[in-house]
Amino acid sequence: MKAIWQRDWILFRRGLIPALILTLLLGLASSLAAYAVTNSAREHAAPVRVGLVDEEGGMISRMAVNLVSTQSFIASLVDFRQTKKTEAMDGLAAGRYQAVIILPDGYIDHIRYGTAGTGQIILSKAAAASAEVVASLARFGELLLAGGQYGVFAGEDLIQQKGLSPEFHQEFLDKSNDALFDQAFSIYDDGILREMAPYSGTGLTADAYYAAAWIGFFLLLCGLFFPALYTADTRKSMLIRLYSLSVTPAGYLSGKLLFPFLFRLPLIAAILAILSRSFSLRFTPGALLCALLGILTASLLTSFASVALGQKKGWQGLLMGIASVCLFLCGGLIPRSMLPDWVAQIGRFTPTGAVLGAFKPLFGGPADIPAILAGLLLTALAAFAAFRHITALPQKGEDS
């Protein structure tokens, strides 16, 4: 047992410097790729670009439009671009705008005096599915506006019934209009409870999800940079010699499992230290144990698969390709929000998805227990394949 550990330590140490260099390159490439995908996801969720046509064009109209469009809660959802009607319709047809809003001439007077008036909301074909949502929002705004107007009209009617002075009437209008403006621009803060929804049902923000996904991909791949550790002694003659010295299959594999696992620990500690500057990581005992389970899963999977496939040509490329496919299914290459739901669900139960699910608590989300269990099952299957390979190999033909 001691001899095989010494042999594995020598093979591990010889490959350490090349592995560190390749790991740093992998980390840099993964960071850049994750940054690009995260930006793509942000652009996918960017505010809707809307062409706004103000046919009245007066000073009061421009003030009203600017007041509304610059409100933070509106600007976070809609990017208004004031333009002419012809240009707006051309932009809608060309895809520059997702919608066009046309405010007709005289709409300010309709609002001020409570008379009927209509505007137009024109949606592009791409946004047609949102028509009911847009219509509901428009009706909601209309009801709010009408409610405020009817309150003012009721007050005016009461003033006229009581025969109060014109000065009192004007003071009432000034105070009422000021109150309506204040309420209109404070309703988002006073009347709406804001809550940040998780990204695409993941329980994490978009940035945290992509960070966890690429951590899983990185952990799976960085163990592949020790090919000699997995393959140098996995030969018929060597295994026969070791088994004759009472080395068991478990003892033979122990160093090939332990050293790559220990190699990953300082790497992930450094990664989390860097990420803690941008994320509010939760280093609770439960989150750390869950993350440790994710590291162990990634390490064992890679080591078992490397031993089982190490005698085949191109085994490293094969495992890299599998890890890349898993990352794609998790939405790490194409934003998850753009993937069909069934694809994302498959991705949860891949090796990358299992490690991702184990790292979620560090980023403030719930652990994905089904994904973690799937990772443990895949690890057991990889272990079975590795044990079967090294026990059957001495019974096969001569070493090639």
Side-chain angles (χ1 to χ4, degrees):
M1 184 71 175
K2 183 179 179 181
I4 190 64
W5 273 41
Q6 289 177 341
R7 172 67 174 166
D8 285 341
W9 169 249
I10 292 171
L11 293 172
F12 173 77
R13 190 178 58 190
R14 286 177 180 173
L16 186 58
I17 299 302
L20 282 173
I21 295 173
L22 291 173
T23 299
L24 289 174
L25 292 175
L26 172 65
L28 178 61
S30 297
S31 301
L32 294 174
Y35 178 76
V37 176
T38 304
N39 279 347
S40 178
R42 288 172 180 164
E43 291 175 3
H44 185 62
V48 177
R49 183 173 295 179
V50 174
L52 179 62
V53 181
D54 181 7
E55 293 188 333
E56 181 163 314
M59 182 180 68
I60 297 178
S61 173
R62 290 196 297 272
M63 290 176 60
V65 168
N66 288 332
L67 279 172
V68 173
S69 61
T70 55
Q71 293 300 302
S72 60
F73 67 96
I74 293 179
S76 65
L77 300 173
V78 181
D79 179 14
F80 286 109
R81 302 293 179 91
Q82 294 194 49
T83 183
K84 301 295 183 182
K85 184 174 182 179
T86 303
E87 183 181 341
M89 298 308 295
D90 290 342
L92 187 69
R96 294 193 300 274
Y97 302 124
Q98 281 73 53
V100 170
I101 296 177
I102 301 176
L103 302 175
D105 186 18
Y107 80 94
I108 290 293
D109 286 339
H110 288 306
I111 294 174
R112 290 170 62 188
Y113 301 115
T115 58
T118 58
Q120 285 182 281
I121 300 176
I122 304 172
L123 298 175
S124 67
K125 291 181 180 180
S130 305
E132 291 187 8
V133 175
V134 173
S136 298
L137 289 172
R139 285 194 296 269
F140 175 70
E142 180 183 349
L143 289 173
L144 283 178
L145 183 60
Q149 286 179 310
Y150 291 152
V152 175
F153 296 157
E156 287 185 301
D157 185 57
L158 184 61
I159 289 172
Q160 292 174 1
Q161 290 180 16
K162 299 299 182 179
L164 300 176
S165 66
E167 291 79 10
F168 185 89
H169 186 188
Q170 186 60 48
E171 183 180 0
F172 166 77
L173 289 178
D174 291 340
K175 290 182 177 180
S176 298
N177 288 330
D178 288 343
L180 286 176
F181 268 105
D182 290 341
Q183 186 63 31
F185 295 115
S186 65
I187 190 170
Y188 181 72
D189 295 320
D190 298 339
I192 296 177
L193 178 62
R194 286 174 286 181
E195 184 174 345
M196 181 65 72
Y199 171 66
S200 193
T202 61
L204 301 174
T205 64
D207 290 352
Y209 178 80
Y210 287 113
W214 279 88
I215 284 175
F217 178 72
F218 174 81
L219 286 173
L220 287 168
L221 287 193
C222 66
L224 295 177
F225 301 141
F226 297 95
L229 177 64
Y230 305 123
T231 62
D233 293 338
T234 309
R235 294 177 286 112
K236 178 180 177 180
S237 57
M238 179 60 74
L239 288 173
I240 291 175
R241 189 182 313 160
L242 291 172
Y243 292 163
S244 67
L245 296 174
S246 301
V247 175
T248 64
Y252 172 79
L253 287 173
S254 59
K256 295 168 176 54
L257 303 177
L258 176 63
F259 295 127
F261 172 70
L262 296 177
F263 174 74
R264 287 173 169 88
L265 291 180
L267 292 177
I268 197 63
I271 290 172
L272 293 178
I274 294 171
L275 291 178
S276 64
R277 299 181 179 181
S278 303
F279 297 91
S280 298
L281 299 180
R282 300 182 181 180
F283 294 107
T284 62
L288 290 172
L289 285 174
C290 206
L292 187 62
L293 179 60
I295 300 169
L296 183 62
T297 299
S299 185
L300 294 180
L301 263 172
T302 301
S303 294
F304 281 133
S306 298
V307 171
L309 300 174
Q311 300 304 306
K312 300 183 181 297
K313 292 182 178 181
W315 64 274
Q316 287 174 294
L318 174 63
L319 292 180
M320 287 181 181
I322 292 173
S324 299
V325 171
C326 294
L327 182 65
F328 166 78
L329 293 174
C330 289
L333 297 176
I334 295 176
R336 178 188 167 97
S337 56
M338 298 174 64
L339 293 175
D341 184 63
W342 63 269
V343 172
Q345 289 304 314
I346 292 175
R348 283 180 61 201
F349 302 105
T350 63
T352 304
V355 181
L356 189 162
F359 270 84
K360 278 186 174 183
L362 273 181
F363 290 90
D368 193 341
I369 302 301
I372 294 173
L373 293 176
L376 295 176
L377 177 60
L378 291 172
T379 302
L381 293 175
F384 173 77
F387 272 93
R388 183 175 181 180
H389 176 66
I390 63 174
T391 53
L393 187 59
Q395 303 172 18
K396 295 182 179 180
E398 296 297 326
D399 292 334
S400 57

